[in-house]
Structures are given as C-alpha cells and as structure tokens.
Amino acid sequence: MNIMLFHSAYGLRPAVHEAAERLRAAGHVVHVPDLYDGRTADTLEEGMTIRDGIGNDELLKRAILAAAPHSDEGLVYAGFSLGGSLAQTLALGDEKARGLLLLHGTADIAEGASVDELPVQLHVADPDPFETDDWLNTWYLRMGRIGADAEVYRYPGAGHLYTDPELPDYDAEAAEKSWAVALGFLASL
C-alpha cells in the first residue's frame, strides 16, 4: 500500500519516523512530508504557535502538494491529530483514495463530500479533550452518510497523542493495540 503520513502539531518528530518505519516493515511505501519546514515543538502550545504561524490554509496547500505526485497511485491517507485532520480532508477529496487511517484526530466533513465505501479507521483516546464523545458520534454518523465505511477504536485512560513515546500522553499498551489493528486494516485494503 502507498501511504501518505502527516505529522501532528508537534511537527515531524522521531515518533512519526518510527511509525513510518513500522509501516514500511509491514511492506508499505510511506511518504512523510514535513509540513513545518523542519520546525518541531516540545509542547502542544509551541506546536499550535507554529501551526497558527503557518496557517491552516497553507498547511492544507502543503499537504496537497506533498500528496499530488503520488495520488494517481491510489493513496491511503494517514495522520496523527492535526495530521489526521489534513489526511481526512485530502482523502475525502481524492476519488482515487484507497483508505484513511486516523490516529488521534478527525476534521469537519465538508458539505457535499461523498465517497464510495472508503475504508476509514480512527484510533482515539477515551476520553480525548479534542475528540469528545458528542463530536465522535456526530463524525461517525456523518462519515456513514457520505459513504465511508468507518470504524472507531477507543483507548480508555490513554492520553491524546498516546502513540508518541516522547510525550507525556504516551501509553505503550494502547499504542501497540492501535498499531496491531491499524496494520490489519492496511493489510485488508
């Protein structure tokens, strides 16, 4: 599978490279663009400052430019938190998208969005301050209405970015469970 993997608001940190290597070891081709031009953050606040300085429109433009050379091959879009929201936006707008793997984040669904049984898998903490129960219920229902085949996996007690070993949110057990399920999902596409 050909995967476009987008980083979180923390930037292109070692955990993103480790995730890409895990996916490559499972036989996938993985593209990992740096949407922050080499900048990374040690705290969420620093990451949000970088994100806000670049702007959401520019980040989306950078994500589109990174994916464009590979989109004819039929990409699986994937991302962590902020990267998940970008991945979702691109996948829902790419008729050749093969799947969508979201870790820690979703996005609003554009009016008029429509897909043809796009496989979608979401992994989130339970509870998650950025992905509340009400939001996730609405998101799940809307994904179904636009034609996506969505699955949601919740991890009780995990922190928001529980797959990044360098962050306080890290939860080794939840991370390993997520990767096991995600690799099975990708193998099925």
Side-chain angles (χ1 to χ4, degrees):
M1 201 55 49
N2 203 354
I3 302 170
M4 181 63 55
L5 180 63
F6 295 111
H7 60 74
S8 75
Y10 285 86
L12 189 53
R13 295 166 44 85
V16 181
H17 290 295
E18 290 166 13
E21 287 307 313
R22 183 185 294 250
L23 296 169
R24 289 180 185 118
H28 304 289
V29 174
V30 185
H31 309 280
V32 187
D34 183 352
L35 304 178
Y36 280 7
D37 295 326
R39 291 177 286 173
T40 60
D42 292 324
T43 67
L44 180 58
E45 293 74 23
E46 289 174 16
M48 296 301 211
T49 299
I50 296 170
R51 181 202 68 186
D52 293 345
I54 295 170
N56 289 332
D57 289 343
E58 178 63 22
L59 285 172
L60 183 57
K61 177 182 171 185
R62 291 176 184 190
I64 291 168
L65 289 172
H70 311 285
S71 62
D72 280 346
E73 303 162 19
L75 288 169
V76 172
Y77 292 91
F80 298 95
S81 194
L82 168 67
S85 68
L86 293 167
Q88 177 185 307
T89 300
L90 268 63
L92 297 184
D94 181 352
E95 63 186 30
K96 293 182 180 178
R98 303 273 313 270
L100 174 61
L101 175 61
L102 302 171
L103 297 149
H104 321 297
T106 62
D108 289 334
I109 299 169
E111 289 299 321
S114 177
V115 293
D116 187 18
E117 297 182 10
L118 180 70
V120 177
Q121 194 173 87
L122 168 64
H123 297 266
V124 291
D126 182 16
D128 188 308
F130 301 103
E131 303 290 327
T132 66
D133 289 343
D134 288 345
W135 168 256
L136 288 173
N137 289 334
T138 301
W139 176 87
Y140 179 79
L141 292 171
R142 290 203 64 212
M143 288 298 273
R145 284 189 206 118
I146 68 165
D149 182 14
E151 302 174 312
V152 178
Y153 293 86
R154 307 286 306 268
Y155 300 88
H160 175 66
L161 278 167
Y162 63 83
T163 58
D164 188 329
E166 295 181 349
L167 295 177
D169 288 346
Y170 181 62
D171 183 314
E173 183 179 347
E176 287 308 310
K177 285 180 182 177
S178 292
W179 284 118
V181 173
L183 289 171
F185 169 72
L186 293 168
S188 74
L189 300 178

